[in-house]
Amino acid sequence: MSTSPPPPSPSTAPRRPSAAGELWRAVSVRVAGVLGRAHQTWRRSLQVRVVTITLVASSLLVGGFAFLIADKITTILLDSARSDVRQRVTSGASYAAKQVSFYGQPQEAQLQETIDGTVNYLAGGDPQQTSGVVVAITADDYPNDIQTRTSPSANVQPLISPELRAAIADGKVASQIRTGRLTDETTKYLVYGSPVPTRFGQIELYYLVPLGRQDVTAADARATVVATGVALVILLGLLAALVTRLVVNPVRVAARTAQRLSAGLLDQRMVVNGEDDLALLAASFNQMATNLQRQILRLEEMSRLQRRFTSDVSHELRTPLTTVRMAADLIFAERDEFDPAVARSAELLQAELDRFEELLTDLLEISRFDAGFAMLDSEPTDLVPVVHRVVDRLAGLAERVGVPIELDLPGTPVIAEVDPRRVERVLRNLVGNAVEHGEARPVLITLGIDETAVAITVRDHGVGLKVGEEKLVFNRFWRADPSRARQTGGTGLGLSISLEDARLHGGWLEAWGAPGQGAQFRLTLPARAGDRLTTSPLRLVPADATLPFGGPRDGNPRDGGSRDGGQLAIGPGTGGALAIGPAPAGDGQRTEVHS
């Protein structure tokens, strides 16, 4: 009998994301995408930057002017209202003083009627007037004898602050702006007060003038200024877009034409319209393109003739060289029967013929690289035996000059899809140069591998390279010291051919050196044919190198990104590499010494 598994407990059941969390993540992703696209557009479009800056600057400028203008209009309207009300208060206070000047006591019977008539007169003679202005006369010092009268009738006490009453009690004409309700709507009022002197003391006259009309006028003015400013900003933006487009379009056309020219379409030209500066730019660009086309075609023809000449000469020299070789071999074989001077001449002839044949071989190889006919025959190859073959071949030379060769190789096979003939030739050139410049000090060969690449470094401890020579060492027929005698009888083309072999594999061949510290060359190849290299398993700068600057530096990804210190080392055609720190030893490394 089968049983169903128990339901998961609340503590072990997986928590499902909430709907709010999913919505927030979706919104965040969408916002990040929009910001990313906006940033990319900002970086790539000159027109967008100019229009945006114009809009922002004009908005700030127009906004500032609009604020000043609106504030000035509001101030003018308010000052006008204050001036008008002040005149009315002054004349009203004089009129009220004359009307009550006949009364010596606040208890007189006719005083209240006089005050009522005065208020109605100052309000325009109609207690029901609809202008909105409220006139009031109060006598706080005589609350039991004189009652507050207003026209039209309203409760004005909330709009008259104690500060205003105190100022008027001191005999001053004062004003304030208060917001309150005297009718059905809450309105902003300008409250103006003035003392009215009498024979028995002082009463107060107040004018309460609504500022609704001024507020409406100021609001209309602000709206007009804002609308005008917005329209002006939009027009400035459109104008900036139009002007920028007129300038940017020819630049974009020039950029596209330059891209086509760089892609090999040498017949591309810009259209010349008009006679302005942009037309002059287009005409100058076309003239430059024509001159470049003519020069490139001339250089290509010269290069083609040079390659053909080198190839033809190399091939034509084969036949006489073969004849000379046969005669030289015969003479060299019989040298024991000759005089010592003739025997020595036979040996020198044999050595120079060997070098001449090697030079012809290298010239033919260089001509194939120049013509683009070099082919790569990749196959899975164990590089450990390749290194051993190179060392065995150069062991005699190393023993003759007293340079021991040390090997730091993995204990397991190092398999990579390479052309073994070309890799062996590269290593032969690198190790031969290291032995020649080793100054009787050890030469270390290191082999490393990771998931994507294999690398071989050849380190010597000779005189090293001067600053800038890392770029020149791969040039054809270049020598660091022209006065130095060659031990290997090289042709001066070995490193140039090695560089082409590395490029043919899609790899790197780089050099590092420092005066008195020797030099190190690094060959990095992809483990699988056709892959693209991003890093190297081994460091370009050796661990025992003395750095010219203190402190750790970040490494280049091509050198593994270490932070153990570094030195600038430049590989040809790569723009250089910053190699940092010592090379980590792989598992199962073993070291051999060949002396």
Side-chain angles (χ1 to χ4, degrees), residues 517-557:
Q517 300 188 54
Q520 177 161 291
F521 288 78
R522 181 181 67 180
L523 173 66
T524 307
L525 302 174
R528 288 175 295 276
D531 288 357
R532 183 175 181 180
L533 291 178
T534 56
T535 58
S536 179
L538 300 178
R539 307 290 181 188
L540 180 58
V541 179
D544 58 350
T546 302
L547 306 182
F549 45 83
R553 294 280 300 272
D554 290 343
N556 190 289

Side-chain angles (χ1 to χ4, degrees), residues 139 197 202 238 255 270 302 357 368 411 435 475 493 552 573:
Q202 178 177 286
L238 294 176
M270 293 180 62
M302 292 177 59
E357 282 189 331
R368 281 193 290 269
V435 170
N475 291 347
L493 297 174

Side-chain angles (χ1 to χ4, degrees), residues 165-174 194-195 202:
R165 292 181 182 273
I168 295 174
D170 291 339
K172 301 176 181 178
V173 178
S194 174
Q202 178 177 286

Side-chain angles (χ1 to χ4, degrees), residues 445-526:
I445 304 175
T446 306
L447 175 61
I449 187 172
D450 59 15
E451 294 80 3
T452 60
V454 294
I456 303 173
T457 58
V458 179
R459 169 80 161 109
D460 67 74
H461 298 80
V463 296
L465 298 174
K466 299 178 182 178
V467 177
E469 291 184 346
E470 303 92 347
K471 304 177 183 179
L472 304 175
V473 70
F474 296 97
N475 291 347
R476 299 174 184 180
F477 300 108
W478 183 85
R479 295 174 64 183
D481 185 4
S483 64
R484 173 186 287 272
R486 291 185 181 271
Q487 301 292 335
T488 60
T491 64
L493 297 174
L495 289 179
S496 301
I497 295 175
S498 299
L499 176 62
E500 297 295 340
D501 284 333
R503 289 175 175 173
L504 195 60
H505 282 85
W508 307 324
L509 182 57
E510 301 161 292
W512 169 90
Q517 300 188 54
Q520 177 161 291
F521 288 78
R522 181 181 67 180
L523 173 66
T524 307
L525 302 174

Side-chain angles (χ1 to χ4, degrees), residues 8 107 234 251 257 310 383 386 464-465 500 504 522 547:
Q107 298 86 4
I234 294 175
V251 176
T257 306
T310 303
L383 296 181
V386 175
L465 298 174
E500 297 295 340
L504 195 60
R522 181 181 67 180
L547 306 182

Side-chain angles (χ1 to χ4, degrees), residues 432-450:
N433 285 338
V435 170
E436 181 182 353
H437 299 86
E439 301 288 339
R441 298 174 184 173
V443 171
L444 175 62
I445 304 175
T446 306
L447 175 61
I449 187 172
D450 59 15

Side-chain angles (χ1 to χ4, degrees), residues 332-352:
F332 185 76
E334 302 294 335
R335 69 184 182 281
D336 294 337
E337 300 178 3
F338 301 149
D339 293 337
V342 178
R344 178 57 180 165
S345 298
E347 293 175 354
L348 292 176
L349 177 62
Q350 187 74 6
E352 290 303 318

